[in-house]
Amino acid sequence: MDVSRSRTLYLIICLALAALSLRPEERVESAFEWLSVPSRVLGHLVLPLRWMSARSVRAAELRVVEQAPSEREASLALLAAERAFALPTDAALRAGRGLIQAQVVEPDPALETVVIRFSPEAAVEPGMPVACRDTYVGRVLRLDPVVRGEATVALVTGGSFRVGARVEAASASSESVDASSQKPGAKAPTTGASSGDLVVGGLAPAPEDDSTGLFLAAHIPSARSIESGSVRVYESDSALVEPYPRLADGYRLGELARYRVNAVPVLALRADIDYASGLSQVVVLCPAGRPTPAPELLQGRFDEENWIDGELVLDGDPSFWRESRKLTKGRAHGVTDRSAIALGARLVGLVTHAGRWTSDIALLGDPGLAISVLAQVQGESGGVRPVALGRMVSVGRDRSDGTLLLRWDAAVSPFDASGEPVDAVLFTGAGERDVPPGLVIGSARLPRQRGSVILRVRTPDPVSALRRVRVLCTPAAELRP
Amino acid sequence: MIALRATAWLLFTVWAVWLFALQGWLGADTSLARWMPDLGLVLVLSLVAQLEARDAPLLALCAALARISVSAEPGVALVAGFFGIIGLALLARSVVELTGPLSRAIVCGFLVVVFDGWLILVHGVRTPELNGTAPILVAWPAGITSAVFALVAGPVFARLPGLTPLRRRRW
């Protein structure tokens, strides 16, 4: 082959590889996995380096394991508090209903659906309303055909979602309701003076002066004069056939607002919760008398038997901007993409790519690592208050002091706008199928304002110095085709 | 002869694994990590200066294999990166003499920045959560130290034990 032709061939190979790198193709990626087969053997060549740091690694691991029982106890208390926090506070909203507790395991950035997990013994059916505290979230769309105890919920923010609603005059308050007299569906469980009905569903464009806010679209108002007020679900009229919609009557949807976007008038509801990231624990509303068992905390999917031991090949990564490692376990051992890596009660990282025999993992300081976060803050009464913060994205680690940098995009702030930043301990939250909630991440000061902010998180020990870790594996029965 | 060359390629891969691992190990948990010279790339580029051009694909594959064994970067991106910088080094070799200390240092420093920039770009594209904010040129400190390292240790790296059969280019 002449020089010119071989150069052309070389260039074509380069360009093809570059294109395949930027637009990953599953078959090509798995073909390249064969290249990593000899790397399993080559990885053993770094043993001398591992011996050199063995003592400090062992000390760090011992410290983490020693603190595990107390950290686990704190996280269980927090998860129990979070579960209780998701229950309706208004007695009228509990009356005549069964409340099935569930956890969000798969949020949807497009805000169309979420996947929830509940006790397999619970009688969840399609059409049942779903709420978080006193706020309406959506309704059960379908049960998972593969995994018992999982269902897809259509969110009220979905483009085609519609729910009947009633606007209360601003002075109205449901706290004044006599709870004992409430029966869902018999009459709208709201006592405020109604100023009209409308239909709610989908997202509305945010006003120009509040572009990061989350607004639900309001449709077909019964009166043009409707301008403001608290909006609650009111499905009694439309629920002649379906048995479940009226269970949602009285649950809040948001605060009505009228504003202009590009000179076009918009009638919308300012959402109470951040449907993108603030959903963690929810309740499915069912008729009273149905079995409503709660899923056991950190049991089932996160049972001890589903965790296996693994080792990190090296203490560092040649790519200095990454905080990633090679793990000595792969798909052959039950490891899947996004599996949690932990030690004791602490989150170490997530599997980014599970190969056949080894896996690539991203530690907490790896840029781009996204995790669902639950904060433990001091409540006003002195007790623990759980706050679902939603997804945070790691932007790296400040290596001068080891602080973890997490980006938090809060469309709806969970705190009052006034006052000092809030001190919080951060744990993993619900919203990840293969990451148990309640693993310790670190502590940080949270701003009260919404918007995008970089949090500086102090991690308890340099988890990047660890070598032996625990990996959450997926049981064969739950592996999806 | 074939067995000798095969052994040399194997030894090159072993040396490269050690250097990549040493680089990762020294850079772990230190604020000076971004100043850590890319030892494995210095070895690769030192060897390119004295390699037959037709051996370039094999060099790229062995170097990628070595890095894959200690790094979590995608295999296809590493192979593409090594193919790319070795191709650029061969191109540079046709213009300047890479065995010369200054040209070797400059080319090495530049290609380290290109290689790291490539991996950062791939990571940014494959990680939508970063919103395309990956700083591609963040590796310039590693480029500077790699250039200095290539200036000082380049010839030593090219003459590591077992690599002699690979240095076949006639001058």
Side-chain angles (χ1 to χ4, degrees), chain A residues 75-411:
Chain A
S75 75
L76 281 172
L78 178 70
L79 294 178
E82 187 199 21
R83 184 177 284 183
F85 195 76
L87 293 171
T89 57
D90 187 341
L93 298 177
R94 296 170 181 243
R97 300 168 174 94
L99 304 173
I100 300 170
Q101 297 199 302
Q103 172 188 311
V104 175
V105 292
E106 203 176 294
D108 175 17
L111 293 181
E112 289 286 336
T113 57
V114 291
V115 177
I116 58 170
R117 184 180 286 155
F118 44 88
S119 168
E121 279 73 43
V124 173
E125 290 177 24
M128 287 180 171
V130 178
C132 178
R133 219 162 158 79
D134 295 346
T135 306
Y136 182 75
V137 169
R139 63 177 76 100
V140 176
L141 190 63
R142 58 180 171 271
L143 301 179
D144 193 300
V146 179
V147 183
R148 275 188 74 219
E150 286 195 10
T152 302
V153 173
L155 290 177
V156 67
T157 48
S160 58
F161 194 97
R162 296 293 181 268
V163 63
R166 177 157 282 183
V167 185
E168 293 175 8
S171 59
S173 163
S174 64
E175 266 79 7
S176 59
V177 180
D178 175 9
S180 60
S181 68
Q182 292 304 312
K183 287 280 185 290
K187 199 174 167 88
T190 56
T191 57
S194 163
S195 58
D197 295 342
L198 41 78
V199 173
V200 176
L203 289 172
E208 281 148 14
D209 59 347
D210 188 7
S211 58
T212 57
L214 192 66
F215 289 80
L216 300 175
H219 315 271
I220 331 171
S222 61
R224 279 173 174 259
S225 57
I226 298 177
E227 291 280 334
S228 63
S230 176
V231 181
R232 291 174 185 273
V233 175
Y234 180 67
E235 292 248 271
S236 291
D237 287 349
S238 61
L240 298 174
V241 183
E242 294 285 328
Y244 302 128
R246 63 180 63 184
L247 291 168
D249 279 1
Y251 278 84
R252 207 175 122 86
L253 283 161
E255 199 68 26
L256 195 64
R258 193 181 279 276
Y259 52 87
R260 285 178 175 273
V261 176
N262 296 330
V264 178
V266 175
L267 186 64
L269 284 68
R270 179 187 287 282
D272 286 345
I273 54 176
D274 184 352
Y275 293 88
S277 58
L279 283 179
S280 172
Q281 297 285 336
V282 293
V283 287
V284 181
L285 308 177
C286 68
R290 297 270 185 101
T292 58
E296 289 187 46
L297 288 171
L298 298 183
Q299 297 295 304
R301 176 72 188 83
F302 306 124
D303 264 341
E304 189 59 28
E305 65 191 33
N306 288 332
W307 292 86
I308 59 166
D309 291 323
E311 269 193 84
L312 307 183
V313 171
L314 187 67
D315 295 348
D317 191 306
S319 306
F320 68 87
W321 61 92
R322 299 283 308 265
E323 198 175 276
S324 54
R325 299 287 186 272
K326 278 277 189 205
L327 179 74
T328 55
K329 294 285 190 286
R331 287 199 309 275
H333 309 95
V335 178
T336 54
D337 289 359
R338 302 286 300 170
S339 287
I341 311 283
L343 187 66
R346 293 183 193 167
L347 180 70
V348 174
L350 300 181
V351 173
T352 51
H353 173 72
R356 185 90 184 95
W357 302 106
T358 60
S359 300
D360 300 333
I361 68 166
L363 303 184
L364 286 172
D366 194 43
L369 178 85
I371 36 173
S372 179
V373 178
L374 172 69
Q376 181 192 58
V377 300
Q378 205 69 20
E380 284 168 13
S381 56
V384 168
R385 184 190 156 198
V387 179
L389 301 179
R391 263 169 106 76
M392 290 191 187
V393 177
S394 175
V395 291
R397 194 181 285 276
D398 183 343
R399 296 208 179 176
S400 62
D401 60 1
T403 311
L404 179 66
L405 305 173
L406 292 180
R407 191 185 72 223
W408 180 35
D409 300 314

Side-chain angles (χ1 to χ4, degrees), chain B residues 6-27:
Chain B
T7 309
W9 282 116
L10 182 66
L11 282 171
F12 163 76
T13 311
V14 170
W15 280 116
V17 171
W18 275 337
L19 289 172
F20 283 130
L22 186 66
Q23 174 188 328
W25 186 71
L26 290 173

Side-chain angles (χ1 to χ4, degrees), chain A residues 29-110:
Chain A
E29 298 276 316
S30 51
F32 269 87
E33 236 176 59
W34 287 104
L35 198 62
S36 66
V37 173
S39 75
R40 274 188 80 206
V41 183
L42 289 170
H44 293 294
L45 292 172
V46 305
L47 278 174
L49 288 178
R50 291 161 58 104
W51 293 330
M52 286 167 75
S53 55
R55 190 173 292 177
S56 62
V57 166
R58 207 167 296 137
E61 286 171 351
L62 276 176
R63 271 199 306 278
V64 173
V65 172
E66 272 171 14
Q67 291 164 9
S70 60
E71 287 176 345
R72 202 182 304 274
E73 203 173 309
S75 75
L76 281 172
L78 178 70
L79 294 178
E82 187 199 21
R83 184 177 284 183
F85 195 76
L87 293 171
T89 57
D90 187 341
L93 298 177
R94 296 170 181 243
R97 300 168 174 94
L99 304 173
I100 300 170
Q101 297 199 302
Q103 172 188 311
V104 175
V105 292
E106 203 176 294
D108 175 17

